[in-house]
Amino acid sequence: MENTEMIGEDAQRPRVGLVLGDPAGIGAELAAKLLADAATPALAAVTVIGDARQLAAGARIAKVPLPAVDLDDRANADPAATPLGRVSAEGGRAALNNFRHALAQARDGALDAIVFTPFNKQALRLAGNPYLDEIHFAADVLGYTGQCSEFNILGNIWNARVTSHIPFKDILKHITTANVLNALMLTDKTMRATGFANPRIALAALNPHAGDGGTFGTEEIEILQPALVRAKLQGICADGPFPADTVFMRARAGQFDAVLTLFHDQGQIAIKALAFEQGVTLLGGMPVPLCTPAHGTAYDIAGKGIANIDASKRAFAIACSMGSRCRLV
Amino acid sequence: MENTEMIGEDAQRPRVGLVLGDPAGIGAELAAKLLADAATPALAAVTVIGDARQLAAGARIAKVPLPAVDLDDRANADPAATPLGRVSAEGGRAALNNFRHALAQARDGALDAIVFTPFNKQALRLAGNPYLDEIHFAADVLGYTGQCSEFNILGNIWNARVTSHIPFKDILKHITTANVLNALMLTDKTMRATGFANPRIALAALNPHAGDGGTFGTEEIEILQPALVRAKLQGICADGPFPADTVFMRARAGQFDAVLTLFHDQGQIAIKALAFEQGVTLLGGMPVPLCTPAHGTAYDIAGKGIANIDASKRAFAIACSMGSRCRLV
């Protein structure tokens, strides 16, 4: 709703960088379809960051006209050298180069938000990328040292995590009252930045049946409850801890806007079971919102023109919403 | 298919005990609907174990005629004393009494399988039940000390666990090669007992992204892989370890018949997200198969006649299938 007021006022539209990810997947097709969508120019002033030949190939695959668009041609991914469906160091290098360039633009104030098409982790590794995930890479390029977190957004349900890409054996030592409270605060702050007036956050429990009153573990009583009490004192609408196997059902039934899970798979199992195709990943907490569809490069359908655009559209809409707010503050 | 050959030969039909669980929920309605189903008498010789008044009330709620059925009237749950929708010690006591009686009958060779309508854990506790779950209770009454495990069955997907109702902090020490191998063997054996010729079992990983080659933990390499190798040497069709957040999607796509998860919520999150209403719980490994719908007592719809019978029918079919095989061996 907020964005519609801005249509026509070019200075008010957020400046969104659309980064082309791995060139061997469905990324360029998704970018072309997104650019061809009638709603796109009204939402943002878009700059595509990637190889012009790759974008043109995407438009051919998508069978859409290549729209007149601001293009920062990186000339780094000749389709002949990065064939569809094949993982390559060249592809990984191009994706990283595009992403780094967009982040530098954002850091220097030239972009308000970034949307990127999927990366291929294996290609990134072949290209020598030493980072565990995109969020660490992005924070480093942005020179950002504060708290940040990956958010998964599925329809109206948000999912954030207290811990992410760490070994299972290390999870417990990171589940402290301070860390849970910080994650509740970051979730609240990030959701407010996309327009939630008072996001309702459910905290997932650690133990089966949420410990069942201490029978199967006491972390709910000793660690999670105190974090919830402190969050509430700060005006955050948080509740729980709820058994991890039903908390997403509560959210789906409309009781909550977000679920804060304690570790990677606790949320990912539910998100992927509920509807993997439609999810959006937001790298949140940083000075600039970074959004991408949650699905992967989909090498198996690359070039067929059948890639589903829903998650990319939603990622773009969230980036626009957050980008406008950041700008207008 | 196996069962159809036996129709008409009464001596060959399995003798199934249908235990009435918590009297304040939808249990009696489900039992009445199941008994009224035309397929039921062909599948088994059923004995209902519970209060005759409760069963009659269930038939009235279900709006089905009360079929002529073998009834072991326990006279322990007067509907006036155990009103619908209200948790009570009386209700818990009746359910436990019925279950204990059926287990004793099975132990003494008078029943081949048991199906029970849902229990209410709070009512069981009010009734002084000291057991953590039904499986420990059943093993004790049966005098069974061997390996046993809860299985969740959702459509064509089975889910078993290496650990169950234990604190999160204790999970890791139970994830040993021996325990995982035992669970793979029990899963294979139990599924063969229901008619799978060669069940395909997927093992879930412990760490995010299955450890990503050792980057996020090494248990996949050091513990899970060796268990899989040993299982395969025994002729078990096991594979993995697969990332826990996509392993159920593989099973749903038909790649596997079962997923062995390492802890309670790892499987329960997926099972409940995929379709909670239709699931069946099997307490497997014991001398007699014990089946129940995975859903609860549903106090909120008790008495309305709208309870969904699908999970109960499926629980009954699995009990009949396993009961016949056990008998004919």
Side-chain angles (χ1 to χ4, degrees), chain A residues 121 125 132 164-169 171-172 205-209 212 215-217 219 243-246 248-249 252 263-266 268-270 272-274, chain B residues 121 125 132 164-169 171-172 205-209 212 215-217 219 243-246 248-249 252 263-266 268-270 272-274:
Chain A
K121 277 196 197 298
R125 218 171 293 166
L132 283 184
S164 187
H165 291 122
I166 62 169
F168 182 89
K169 71 173 165 52
I171 292 170
L172 202 54
L206 181 71
N207 293 296
H209 305 201
D212 205 2
T215 313
F216 312 130
E219 287 82 1
D245 57 351
T246 49
F248 278 91
M249 305 306 99
R252 189 167 60 171
F263 56 96
H264 181 277
D265 283 349
Q266 199 180 38
Q268 286 297 297
I269 293 172
K272 295 192 178 171
L274 288 173
Chain B
K121 276 194 198 299
R125 218 172 292 168
L132 283 184
S164 187
H165 292 121
I166 61 169
F168 183 88
K169 71 174 165 51
I171 291 170
L172 201 55
L206 182 71
N207 293 295
H209 306 202
D212 205 2
T215 314
F216 313 131
E219 288 81 2
D245 57 352
T246 49
F248 279 92
M249 305 306 98
R252 188 166 61 172
F263 56 96
H264 181 277
D265 283 349
Q266 199 180 39
Q268 286 297 298
I269 293 172
K272 294 193 179 172
L274 288 174

Side-chain angles (χ1 to χ4, degrees), chain B residues 12 15-16 24 36 47 56 60 72 103 114 141 145 149 192-193 218 221 229 248 258 280 308 313 320-321 326 329:
Chain B
Q12 299 273 304
R15 298 158 303 168
V16 175
T47 302
R60 278 196 301 277
D72 190 342
L103 288 163
I114 293 172
V141 177
T145 55
S149 172
R192 284 178 194 272
T218 55
I221 298 162
V229 169
F248 279 92
V280 169
N308 186 316
K313 270 191 187 173
C320 291
S321 168
C326 295
V329 166

Side-chain angles (χ1 to χ4, degrees), chain A residues 20-84:
Chain A
L20 299 188
D22 190 82
I26 57 174
E29 176 188 343
L30 293 173
K33 284 179 173 172
L34 184 64
L35 293 168
D37 189 275
T40 298
L43 286 172
V46 180
T47 302
V48 178
I49 296 157
D51 191 298
R53 295 163 293 183
Q54 194 189 334
L55 183 64
R60 278 195 302 275
I61 293 164
K63 295 190 184 67
V64 295
L66 191 60
V69 65
D70 185 33
L71 171 65
D72 191 342
D73 185 5
R74 308 292 301 159
N76 55 12
D78 183 349
T82 55
L84 290 175

Side-chain angles (χ1 to χ4, degrees), chain B residues 93-293:
Chain B
R93 245 192 306 274
L96 272 184
N97 178 280
N98 295 343
F99 194 39
R100 189 185 290 110
H101 184 72
L103 288 163
Q105 297 276 98
R107 182 193 59 207
D108 298 342
L111 289 174
D112 302 309
I114 293 172
V115 175
F116 55 99
T117 65
F119 294 148
N120 181 297
K121 276 194 198 299
Q122 204 190 334
L124 295 185
R125 218 172 292 168
L126 288 173
N129 173 37
Y131 290 93
L132 283 184
D133 49 33
E134 290 80 12
I135 202 162
H136 288 92
F137 179 90
D140 252 22
V141 177
L142 290 170
Y144 179 72
T145 55
Q147 211 192 351
C148 49
S149 172
E150 186 176 316
F151 292 83
N152 297 104
I153 305 166
L154 185 71
N156 295 319
I157 308 174
W158 285 54
N159 175 222
R161 320 170 191 157
V162 179
T163 70
S164 187
H165 292 121
I166 61 169
F168 183 88
K169 71 174 165 51
D170 295 335
I171 291 170
L172 201 55
K173 64 181 169 226
H174 290 280
I175 305 301
T176 63
T177 296
N179 285 349
V180 173
L181 176 61
N182 281 337
L184 286 167
M185 288 166 62
L186 182 65
T187 303
D188 181 72
K189 186 180 126 189
T190 305
M191 293 181 76
R192 284 178 194 272
T194 66
F196 284 90
N198 195 20
R200 299 163 302 161
I201 308 169
L203 178 63
L206 182 71
N207 293 295
H209 306 202
D212 205 2
T215 314
F216 313 131
T218 55
E219 288 81 2
E220 284 74 18
I221 298 162
E222 292 165 3
I223 295 171
L224 305 182
Q225 287 286 10
L228 286 164
V229 169
R230 290 184 209 181
K232 284 177 200 169
L233 286 175
Q234 298 193 23
I236 295 173
C237 181
D239 205 358
F242 297 107
D245 57 352
T246 49
V247 66
F248 279 92
M249 305 306 98
R250 286 172 181 265
R252 188 166 61 172
Q255 291 178 34
F256 297 102
D257 304 307
V259 178
L260 177 62
T261 44
L262 302 176
F263 56 96
H264 181 277
D265 283 349
Q266 199 180 39
Q268 286 297 298
I269 293 172
I271 289 284
K272 294 193 179 172
L274 288 174
F276 183 47
E277 286 243 324
Q278 298 153 34
V280 169
T281 303
L282 161 69
L283 310 184
M286 287 184 276
V288 58
L290 309 171
C291 293
T292 187

Side-chain angles (χ1 to χ4, degrees), chain B residues 27-85:
Chain B
E29 175 188 345
L30 292 173
K33 284 178 173 171
L34 185 63
L35 292 167
D37 190 276
T40 298
L43 287 172
V46 180
T47 302
V48 178
I49 295 158
D51 191 299
R53 295 163 293 182
Q54 195 190 333
L55 183 63
R60 278 196 301 277
I61 293 164
K63 294 190 184 69
V64 296
L66 191 60
V69 66
D70 185 34
L71 172 66
D72 190 342
D73 185 5
R74 308 293 301 159
N76 57 11
D78 182 350
T82 55
L84 290 174

Side-chain angles (χ1 to χ4, degrees), chain A residues 150-170:
Chain A
E150 185 177 317
F151 292 83
N152 296 104
I153 305 166
L154 185 70
N156 295 319
I157 309 174
W158 284 54
N159 174 220
R161 322 169 188 156
V162 179
T163 69
S164 187
H165 291 122
I166 62 169
F168 182 89
K169 71 173 165 52
D170 295 335

